[in-house]
Amino acid sequence: MQDPQTLLADIFGFDAFRSGQRDIVDAVCAGKNTLAIMPTGGGKSLCFQLPALARDGLTVVISPLIALMRDQVRALRAAGVQAGALTSGNTEEETDMVFDALQAGTLKLLYIAPERLASTGTRDMLSRANCTMIAVDEAHCVSQWGHDFRPDYLRIGELRRALGVPLAAFTATADAETREEIVTRLFDGVQPETFMQGFDRPNLNLAFEVKDGPRRQILDFANARRDQAGIVYCGTRAKTETLAQALREAGHSACHYHGGMDKDDRRDVERRFSQEDGLVVVATIAFGMGVDKPDIRWVAHADLPKSVEGYYQEIGRAGRDGTPADTLTLYGPDDIRFRRQQIDEGLAPDDRKAADHARLNALLGLAEALECRRKPLLEYFGDTDITCGNCDLCEKAPDTFDGTVAVRKALSAILRTGEYFGAGHLIDILLGNSTDKVQARGHDQLPTFGIGGEYDKRGWQAVFRQMMGRDLIRPDPSRHGAFRMTQAARPILRDEATITLRKDTIKKGANRPAVKT
Ligand code: ADP
Ligand code: ZN
């Protein structure tokens, strides 16, 4: 076997392995089953390409990203490596060349799209071709519950058993649950040698803002970063179009992107984004996995992402070159309600829904954090010993107050009205507003009526939003989003726990604190 260090210099032209790479390369070279979790941009491809060259025989690489496969094949060929790809994008000539090289036994790396695994011919071809290793890129695509699920990835385990060769799986996204699924489906439940790299991307600045004129907030953020490439993620297709228009009117070079556009138009945006400087793409999450531009300087979320995994993957597209990049995520009570509803009304089984609520909670935990955002983010992914200094809360600590009494009053309003109402009506009760609805329901007779005079309407909205964010209350989808108390709120209601809340950070009211204490 050739020496990895020599190959690193001779073929890849690098002086040294990056942190983590060497251990993975050694394990893969030694023919062990491996699972490597590395942040995007960490240098995953080298960890299977180099062992493929060091080892005898052919390595088959399964990847869902045709464009990236083709780039890698091109780069390997340019370095004098016998590599090829079988994808739907092949010309007949390319395909013939791959088959010739397979026959001659000279091919070292063969990239195939997962769809290929559906044909029995592929497996036969690979066993005849002296395939000695399988590498799986974007291994989280095997997870049925992730948003990148590829049904054909479920055939990879079968292929591994049929060929009886080691498998090396790579991914950048892997919460504990997805990791388990990868082990079950790719390795028959036998834990492979697992490598987890720190997830921190210290060059990414993290910031959240409560929505308060969201279009203006996005424009302000973009205006402060003129002529820098950026992505704005939106929750709906329609919004990508209107927001791109608004950005153009503000003098930006901007275009929209979503799954409803035809393929050519989408390709066109992808190409422009990678080639032009300073283009802003306003997109749904359809603009995603294949985006491979190292110098994206900022990512903004105009709406709250679906989960902490989604959030980190999306902002993770910025700053892959390692130089500073900024991110901003906007959110508000409607976002929280929308995301909860999406989970509740989905078709997943109950335990799955509970897990999805937990992933959303983890994200809301960042949104409503009191100290640092990076710390809870990375702890969620299992990192410890986190240093930050590069998030909006580390830069400026938020004003907080003891919200125990406020939360208890709000819970009391919810419970005394039978968990049947949303924030608007509950706030009217707390403020003692005798609206028609309040009178019609006799809610002006409740002991809770008018007990919340210490805050104004905005103040109470901030309290309810944070209660949602901390999962003390949830909108009930079967009651038009009326709030229900969760188990997590019981200790506060019973006076067994206290809670610290943020004074709100809505800019408009900056000189007039929305929450008086
Ligand atoms: P990902 O983990 O996202 O798949 P890549 O494999 O595309 O990342 O690597 C990201 C970048 O880092 C590439 O430009 C690659 O050439 C570079 N890279 C990888 N390993 C090294 C190394 N040991 N030294 C220097 N650059 C490296
Ligand atoms: Zn921080």
Side-chain angles (χ1 to χ4, degrees):
M1 198 169 72
Q2 296 189 56
D3 173 44
Q5 193 69 47
T6 316
L7 283 169
L8 182 71
D10 292 355
I11 306 289
F12 297 93
F14 299 138
D15 309 327
F17 283 104
R18 284 199 184 144
S19 77
Q21 279 179 330
R22 181 69 207 235
D23 291 342
I24 301 171
V25 165
D26 285 346
V28 178
C29 280
K32 292 185 178 149
N33 283 329
T34 48
L35 168 60
I37 298 134
M38 293 170 92
T40 312
K44 267 176 291 159
S45 21
L46 183 93
C47 297
F48 57 82
Q49 290 173 345
L50 197 152
L53 302 183
R55 288 166 56 89
D56 288 336
L58 170 76
T59 292
V60 61
V61 183
I62 298 157
S63 163
L65 305 169
I66 293 180
L68 289 190
M69 282 198 265
R70 299 178 74 82
D71 284 350
Q72 292 197 6
V73 169
R74 205 174 309 126
L76 287 165
R77 287 234 184 97
V81 174
Q82 290 269 7
L86 291 175
T87 71
S88 53
N90 274 32
T91 61
E92 213 170 305
E93 204 185 343
E94 280 170 323
T95 304
D96 286 348
M97 209 187 65
V98 168
F99 279 111
D100 288 348
L102 274 174
Q103 202 105 59
T106 52
L107 205 63
K108 291 303 295 173
L109 282 127
L110 174 64
Y111 286 75
I112 65 172
E115 296 74 46
R116 283 256 161 193
L117 299 176
S119 92
T120 48
T122 304
R123 201 192 300 161
D124 296 343
M125 170 193 79
L126 292 173
S127 42
R128 276 199 307 273
N130 187 28
C131 172
T132 55
M133 180 168 81
I134 302 169
V136 180
D137 205 358
E138 313 290 350
H140 64 279
C141 291
V142 79
S143 162
Q144 264 171 297
W145 304 109
H147 52 314
D148 297 330
F149 176 55
R150 297 292 174 117
D152 289 308
Y153 263 57
L154 296 175
R155 301 175 189 277
I156 296 174
E158 220 173 290
L159 178 72
R160 186 184 62 80
R161 285 192 296 274
L163 297 178
V165 299
L167 186 148
F170 298 85
T171 178
T173 347
D175 52 290
E177 201 186 9
T178 310
R179 278 201 301 275
E180 250 173 65
E181 235 182 315
I182 291 174
V183 174
T184 308
R185 300 199 188 282
L186 297 186
F187 300 99
D188 286 336
V190 181
Q191 189 71 38
E193 193 123 336
T194 303
F195 300 90
M196 273 246 273
Q197 272 210 0
F199 273 82
D200 196 11
R201 302 275 311 281
N203 61 316
L204 294 184
N205 183 273
L206 312 178
F208 282 70
E209 275 178 24
V210 177
K211 281 185 184 177
D212 182 32
R215 174 173 298 204
R216 179 185 50 78
Q217 286 168 290
I218 294 291
L219 285 175
D220 285 351
F221 189 73
N223 290 344
R225 290 161 186 81
R226 262 185 204 285
D227 302 322
Q228 298 180 356
I231 304 174
V232 182
Y233 281 109
C234 299
T236 63
R237 291 174 177 181
K239 196 188 267 187
T240 65
E241 301 187 12
T242 55
L243 203 50
Q245 177 68 27
L247 281 158
R248 282 193 296 272
E249 281 161 13
H252 293 270
S253 162
C255 50
H256 67 270
Y257 183 106
H258 56 68
M261 290 161 59
D262 71 45
K263 216 170 166 184
D264 289 342
D265 290 343
R266 278 184 285 159
R267 284 288 128 73
D268 197 48
V269 175
E270 287 163 7
R271 201 185 46 244
R272 279 187 63 193
F273 191 58
S274 65
Q275 290 169 0
E276 288 176 27
D277 286 334
L279 184 67
V280 179
V281 176
V282 187
T284 60
I285 55 168
F287 190 63
M289 260 205 316
V291 182
D292 188 28
K293 184 179 170 66
D295 57 347
I296 299 171
R297 291 274 65 84
W298 58 272
V299 169
H301 280 101
D303 299 299
L304 184 76
K306 179 173 143 197
S307 66
V308 67
E309 287 83 1
Y311 165 75
Y312 206 28
Q313 206 168 51
E314 283 140 32
I315 65 164
R317 300 197 170 108
R320 283 176 62 169
D321 55 7
T323 65
D326 294 333
T327 73
L328 173 68
T329 301
L330 301 185
Y331 72 107
D334 292 343
D335 290 88
I336 304 176
R337 198 170 297 121
F338 170 72
R339 291 301 187 189
R340 290 252 182 257
Q341 228 156 3
Q342 222 181 10
I343 297 169
D344 286 331
E345 288 168 2
L347 298 172
D350 283 350
D351 58 340
R352 181 68 225 172
K353 287 183 179 176
D356 284 343
H357 279 298
R359 291 166 185 232
L360 176 58
N361 284 349
L363 178 62
L364 293 171
L366 304 186
E368 302 291 3
L370 302 174
E371 283 163 14
C372 169
R373 305 208 195 265
R374 185 168 259 100
K375 205 164 170 292
L377 172 66
L378 296 177
E379 278 169 357
Y380 178 83
F381 289 109
D383 280 6
T384 48
D385 293 332
I386 297 139
T387 52
C388 178
N390 195 18
C391 78
D392 54 345
L393 299 180
C394 279
E395 283 152 15
K396 187 179 178 305
D399 289 336
T400 59
F401 68 102
D402 181 344
T404 313
V405 173
V407 167
R408 229 181 280 143
K409 286 180 180 176
L411 289 172
S412 148
I414 290 170
L415 294 174
R416 286 183 186 277
T417 52
E419 302 188 308
Y420 236 91
F421 298 90
H425 184 69
L426 296 167
I427 291 173
D428 280 333
I429 294 171
L430 287 161
L431 291 178
N433 296 334
S434 292
T435 64
D436 292 349
K437 191 170 168 184
V438 167
Q439 287 182 22
R441 308 265 175 174
H443 289 163
D444 46 356
Q445 303 304 313
L446 294 173
T448 338
F449 185 73
I451 59 166
E454 65 271 46
Y455 308 127
D456 63 5
K457 187 172 172 194
R458 276 168 91 88
W460 279 111
Q461 283 169 340
V463 170
F464 277 98
R465 192 201 69 239
Q466 293 183 72
M467 288 171 69
M468 268 205 276
R470 304 274 195 99
D471 204 22
L472 304 179
I473 54 174
R474 279 192 193 179
D476 181 343
S478 63
R479 295 185 180 185
H480 302 289
F483 287 129
R484 270 179 183 284
M485 187 179 99
T486 68
Q487 288 303 319
R490 288 205 184 276
I492 299 172
L493 194 66
R494 291 204 201 108
D495 211 0
E496 291 164 6
T498 60
I499 184 168
T500 304
L501 296 181
R502 299 178 57 163
K503 291 187 190 174
D504 228 338
T505 48
I506 294 176
K507 279 181 186 156
K508 230 181 347 199
N511 45 5
R512 171 179 58 81
V515 175
K516 292 168 270 169
T517 52

